[in-house]
Amino acid sequence: MKSGNQEIYVLSNKDRDISSLNKVANRLGFDITPFSHANLPKNNNAVIFDVATVLEFKCKAIFEHNRPLIALVSHATPSEIQHAMELGAYAVITRPIHQLGLLSALQVSSILSKKTEEKEKQYNNLRRKHLSRCSVIKAVISFMDEFNVNDQKAYEMIRTISMSKNIEVETLCENLVKSTSCNDVYNKGA
């Protein structure tokens, strides 16, 4: 952040883009910081990139960190928009740059970036739970064998321990599979 304004990073090899963005962004209360693909900070500030510059220098790796990405294009032709979307842009602005266009693009890209981040977290959580299903099954089988109960009762016993210890079922089961005795876990809790 500079002087209380929010910082926007710009990747373009055209001085005219930087100058134009500076004028428009400053009126909106944003500071523009030009960058190269080598010095982009890993924060969540918005990035405006010239599609032609990115394609010319083949620097897609800079966009691996999820953040509001805005593509800068000349004519918004279908092929330019397609390249922008392939590079991960959430919004597109065209030359000449106008305040309303920039403000709209910043808003849209910010919202879509946050939604993408939430979906990635949900996906990773579901993936982790899916991968831990093997541990849950092994734990249920262990409880069934040790306590001579059916699978439903065994799972209920595990769930009861999980709730009493405020531990996710999957985490408890992973610990249980590593443990030597279900009886110890059931009687003492995880």
Side-chain angles (χ1 to χ4, degrees), residues 118-133 168 170:
E118 289 170 12
K119 293 296 180 189
E120 284 176 2
K121 285 179 184 176
Q122 288 175 349
Y123 168 78
N124 289 333
N125 189 31
L126 289 171
R127 180 171 161 72
R128 185 186 61 77
K129 285 186 177 205
H130 174 73
L131 292 173
S132 67
R133 294 311 297 166
E168 288 185 343
E170 293 78 9

Side-chain angles (χ1 to χ4, degrees), residues 92-123:
V92 175
I93 55 175
T94 58
R95 295 177 185 94
I97 301 160
H98 299 285
Q99 276 182 261
L100 185 57
L102 178 59
L103 193 56
S104 297
L106 286 168
Q107 187 68 24
V108 167
S109 65
S110 178
I111 290 168
L112 291 176
S113 173
K114 287 176 185 167
K115 285 186 177 184
T116 299
E117 190 173 338
E118 289 170 12
K119 293 296 180 189
E120 284 176 2
K121 285 179 184 176
Q122 288 175 349
Y123 168 78

Side-chain angles (χ1 to χ4, degrees), residues 9-28:
Y9 296 98
V10 178
L11 174 62
S12 176
N13 59 1
K14 299 174 180 101
D15 291 336
R16 190 173 180 181
D17 287 343
I18 305 292
S19 174
S20 179
L21 278 166
N22 236 337
K23 287 177 189 172
V24 172
N26 283 331
R27 282 187 230 132
L28 294 171

Side-chain angles (χ1 to χ4, degrees), residues 155-168:
Y155 185 77
E156 286 174 20
M157 293 167 74
I158 292 169
R159 210 175 105 232
T160 301
I161 297 169
S162 167
M163 288 189 298
S164 71
K165 296 295 179 184
N166 198 19
I167 300 172
E168 288 185 343

